[in-house]
DNA sequence: CGGATCGAC
DNA sequence: CTATGTCGATCCG
């Protein structure tokens, strides 16, 4: 019963506007909170959606439980130590506090709904929402009184408010209006940063300086009584007598039915028909002068927006973006709030603020913090030491920033796009063929979008949601970037097929499918991608001919579904020989030397591929044998084969975990494992029993696991896929997932637990003591002394990319410690002219996870390793 | 790298 | 009947 109330309970807080104000329609009062929740629950209870919500909620609850357990184990000494550290940082932050900026956040009121009302007088005075029966994007304030809100499905909204009018989305229109608004904003800050169609940040610091000396005339604006906007059907009446410091407020007849302004809606009694702007000649047109303060400027901005578009906006003024955003929320709709640039004012403002109001703190974080007794920013500050022990560094730094009222003071330019995707929700699709068709469609759409921006990416991600609302993503990274429909589909369909096979003979019952591309090439990589790889794969055939570009090769060998895999014969002979060795290795329990051989096998694999590229004959058919489970794997793609091996290895390694009881429905048991797969599993387990007796076995296995996929990357372009293997560790989305805690001890009393999905890809196992290994890079053939497989694999990557090895450059490895200044980028592709893609990156507040205390984090200490480092 | 999650609009 | 679409960030294995 506790949980029954949870759906949406948090969302309907101070939202019911003061009710009995002046309703223009007799008897339309709206609903009180309790009534709203009851109706929502009735409509929700028992639905598949609800079941999933409950499940998610329980997961959060489990996270909270673990959080609390960790908290209990913290002793006062640790706490004191943490306190010192945190406070040291706090002092530093305090010293760098910057109150010199005037940041403005502009937020259009009920944007989509307002646009629709503006353009259709019939909608005014009515409760409306924009969206569909399935999902609403926004609602007007009238409808909000009934509990109708953004992100609510229309059919529920209808139950809350039977008279609700639902208007379909019209993104093109919103885009146009948004553009108009931004034109105004740009005059105050050419660098202004739009966040979606209806919001923007401005830094008006410089503008304010300039404005100080402006004569009054430069700050005077005429008031149009005829507010001709886009479609000219405007009949907005501007305020009659507007003084400098008057709130422009009461002027909007459209938006706020519960506001007095509606009552005075005096539709065109006097429309000065002339288009001429001569202030003197038309008596009805008056003018207004705005002052030079930030507040006056923002009033001016809002005034001009309303004059230009007929829509109202709310605004916040503050020394940083976080505060500005919260300020704009303060007096909405159609109001503004200014926070003076003084420390005390800031702190007072934050003091009693519920944490949920903070941008970046959502439902989950709120709940977790509440579980720790934190509801306001003051409490957030008081608990700072504790938080630093419970959360990741990024998280608690963020919390500290928040509780000090700190935020970004400059608006960063949009960085480069990181991903592009498209997804669609539909009524259940279970037929395989339909699914493939859909997948292809998505790829086609995505390819188009990619082309518009001239982008190519290396990682393709397939997203699936089944009819039980369980979401799953599957990704694959190819060697050379892709962008066309064919290329995308080649990868996506493989991912899809794997998922289908994983649940076979049951169908995937989907309600959503999506495709995403990420891993776009930077300039450097673009060059290499074009030239060196080809020459590497085709030694002796130096060519810049685009017909031999990797993409072409990829298409030839991978895309065409019917094409048979050529030169398998050669490949497999070597492979088979290799497998003999591998088998021995695994059965006998590998030694260090054998370890080396194991790795060396990947050298051969690479060579095989090279040769395979050269040889043009030999198209006979061969059987691959998995070196782990010894099963014959017929005619799969190499990718699938390698994946199979990967899973075998993971599966074996997870044998212990696999014994966790699967207390799910019985159906799941035979759903997940086919007989054959079970058989494989048994074999694997036996193998591991012997192999795991030594530590080395673990490491060797882990090396193989990584080494094989390394090769896969290449296979993917060079080879073509026909049929993939049944996968052993099936992830059946139709089966409820089983979560169980894994407790990870870090020693020193600092330990934490995690939630792990047992039915999903098995993975985690303790790596055991770290010893360095000598590995041979399959590309450059040099021995690499390393403790870190990731590093080694990266080295191989670089080798592959450059063809020749000069230097192994490590990218990211962020410096540990101190300062977290918000330096991430925002991607708001607002002004794209085309398609409604309304992407916004809000404030980039880090999410929160339970952390291993930061001091325990194992981070690579070297940001750069040269080949010499690797050489013995 | 891949997968899951969170958060924003 | 009927619970979005797109994107970035973070964390973990």
């Amino acid at each position: 019963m506790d949980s029954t109330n949870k759906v949406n309970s948090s969302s309907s807080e101070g939202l019911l506007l003061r009710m009995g104000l002046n309703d223009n329609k007799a008897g339309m009062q709206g609903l009180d909170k309790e009534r709203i929740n009851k109706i929502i629950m009735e409509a929700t209870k028992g639905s598949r959606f609800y079941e999933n919500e409950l499940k998610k909620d329980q997961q959060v609850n489990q996270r909270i439980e673990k959080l609390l357990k960790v908290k209990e184990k913290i002793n006062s000494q640790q706490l004191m130590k943490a306190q010192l550290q945190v406070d040291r940082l706090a002092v530093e932050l305090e010293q760098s506090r910057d109150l010199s900026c005037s940041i403005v956040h502009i937020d259009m009121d009920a944007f989509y709904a307002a646009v629709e009302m503006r353009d259709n007088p019939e909608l005014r005075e009515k409760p409306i929402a924009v969206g569909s029966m399935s999902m609403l994007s926004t609602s007007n304030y009238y409808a909000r009184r009934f509990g109708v809100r953004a992100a609510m499905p229309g059919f529920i909204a209808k139950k809350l408010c039977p008279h609700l009018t639902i208007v379909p989305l019209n993104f093109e229109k919103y885009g146009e209006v948004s553009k108009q608004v931004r034109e105004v904003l740009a005059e105050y800050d050419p660098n202004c940063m739009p966040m979606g169609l209806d919001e923007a940040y401005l830094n008006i610091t410089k503008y304010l300086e300039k404005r100080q000396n402006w004569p009054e005339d430069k700050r005077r604006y005429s008031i149009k009584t005829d507010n001709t906007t886009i479609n000219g059907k405007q009949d907005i009446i501007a305020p009659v007598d507007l003084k400098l410091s008057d709130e422009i407020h009461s002027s909007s007849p459209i938006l706020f039915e519960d506001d007095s302004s509606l009552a005075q809606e005096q539709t065109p009694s006097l429309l000065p028909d002339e288009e001429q702007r001569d202030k003197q000649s038309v008596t009805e047109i008056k003018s207004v002068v705005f002052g030079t303060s930030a507040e006056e400027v923002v009033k001016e901005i809002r005034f001009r927006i309303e004059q230009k578009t007929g829509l109202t906006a709310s605004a916040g003024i503050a020394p940083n973006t976080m505060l500005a955003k919260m300020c704009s929320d303060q007096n909405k709709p159609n109001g503004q709030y200014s926070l003076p640039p003084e420390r005390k004012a800031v702190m007072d403002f934050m003091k009693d603020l519920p944490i949920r109001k903070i941008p970046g703190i959502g439902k989950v974080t709120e709940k977790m913090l509440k579980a720790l007794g934190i509801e306001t920013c003051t409490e957030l500050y008081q608990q700072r030491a504790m938080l630093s022990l419970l959360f990741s560094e990024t998280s608690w730094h963020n919390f500290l920033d928040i509780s000090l009222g700190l935020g970004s003071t400059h608006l960063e330019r949009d960085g480069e796009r990181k991903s592009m995707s498209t997804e669609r929700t539909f009524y259940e699709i279970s037929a395989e063929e339909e699914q493939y068709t859909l997948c292809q469609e998505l790829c086609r759409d995505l390819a188009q979008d990619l082309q518009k921006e001239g982008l190519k990416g290396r990682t393709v991600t397939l997203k699936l949601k089944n009819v039980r609302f369980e979401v799953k993503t599957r990704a694959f990274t190819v060697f050379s970037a892709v962008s066309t429909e064919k290329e995308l589909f080649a990868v996506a369909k493989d991912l899809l097929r794997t998922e289908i096979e994983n649940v076979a003979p049951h169908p995937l019952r989907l309600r959503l499918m999506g495709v995403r591309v990420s891993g776009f090439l930077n300039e450097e990589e673009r060059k290499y991608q074009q030239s060196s790889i080809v020459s590497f794969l085709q030694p002796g055939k130096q060519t810049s001919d685009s017909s031999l570009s990797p993409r072409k090769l990829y298409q030839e060998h991978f895309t065409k579904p019917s094409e048979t895999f050529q030169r398998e014969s050669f490949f497999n002979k070597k492979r088979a020989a290799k497998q003999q060795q591998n088998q021995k290795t695994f059965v006998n329990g590998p030694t260090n030397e054998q370890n080396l051989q194991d790795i060396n096998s990947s050298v051969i694999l690479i060579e095989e591929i090279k040769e395979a590229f050269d040889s043009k004959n030999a198209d006979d058919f061969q059987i691959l044998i998995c070196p782990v489970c010894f099963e014959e794997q017929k005619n799969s793609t190499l990718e699938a084969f390698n994946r199979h091996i990967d899973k075998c290895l993971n599966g074996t390694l997870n044998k212990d975990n696999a014994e966790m009881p699967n207390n799910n429905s019985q159906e799941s048991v035979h759903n997940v494992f086919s007989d054959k797969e079970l058989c494989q599993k048994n074999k694997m387990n036996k193998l591991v029993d012997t192999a795991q007796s030594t530590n080395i076995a673990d490491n060797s296995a882990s090396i193989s696991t990584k080494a094989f996929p390394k090769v896969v990357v290449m296979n993917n372009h060079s080879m073509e896929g026909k049929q993939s293997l049944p996968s052993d560790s099936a992830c059946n989305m139709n089966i409820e997932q089983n979560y169980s805690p894994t407790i990870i001890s870090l020693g020193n009393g600092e330990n934490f637990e995690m939630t792990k999905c047992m039915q999903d890809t098995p993975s985690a196992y303790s790596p055991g003591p770290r010893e360095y290994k000598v590995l041979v890079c399959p590309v450059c053939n040099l021995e690499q002394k390393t403790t870190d497989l990731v590093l080694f694999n990266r080295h191989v990557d670089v080798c592959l990319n450059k063809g020749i090895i000069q230097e192994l450059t490590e990218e990211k490895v962020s410096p540990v410690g101190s300062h977290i200044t918000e330096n991430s980028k925002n991607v708001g592709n607002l002004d794209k002219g085309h398609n409604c893609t309304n992407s916004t990156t809000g404030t980039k507040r880090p999410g929160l996870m339970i952390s291993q205390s930061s001091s325990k984090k194992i981070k690579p200490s070297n940001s750069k390793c040269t080949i010499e480092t690797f050489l013995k």
Side-chain angles (χ1 to χ4, degrees), chain A residues 27-39:
Chain A
M28 298 302 287
Q29 264 99 24
L31 304 170
D32 66 37
K33 205 166 159 180
E34 221 171 284
R35 180 90 186 116
I36 289 172
N37 281 335
K38 195 182 160 203
I39 296 177

Side-chain angles (χ1 to χ4, degrees), chain A residues 194-254:
Chain A
M195 311 290 298
L197 293 177
D198 71 330
E199 276 183 38
Y201 288 100
L202 281 74
N203 185 342
I204 59 166
T205 317
K206 278 188 185 166
Y207 172 86
L208 276 175
E209 279 175 35
K210 269 192 290 178
R211 177 158 168 135
Q212 293 313 307
N213 319 320
W214 284 12
E216 220 179 85
D217 261 3
K218 240 180 151 179
R219 296 179 268 119
R220 181 190 305 279
Y221 288 87
S222 62
I223 303 169
K224 283 191 288 178
T225 52
D226 172 14
N227 197 336
T228 25
T229 50
I230 302 173
N231 3 17
K233 20 173 153 171
Q234 260 337 319
D235 49 9
I236 290 176
I237 305 305
V240 189
D241 184 27
L242 204 60
K243 294 279 185 225
L244 282 196
S245 39
D246 277 357
E247 264 300 336
I248 303 164
H249 207 115
S250 47
S251 65
S252 159
I254 293 186

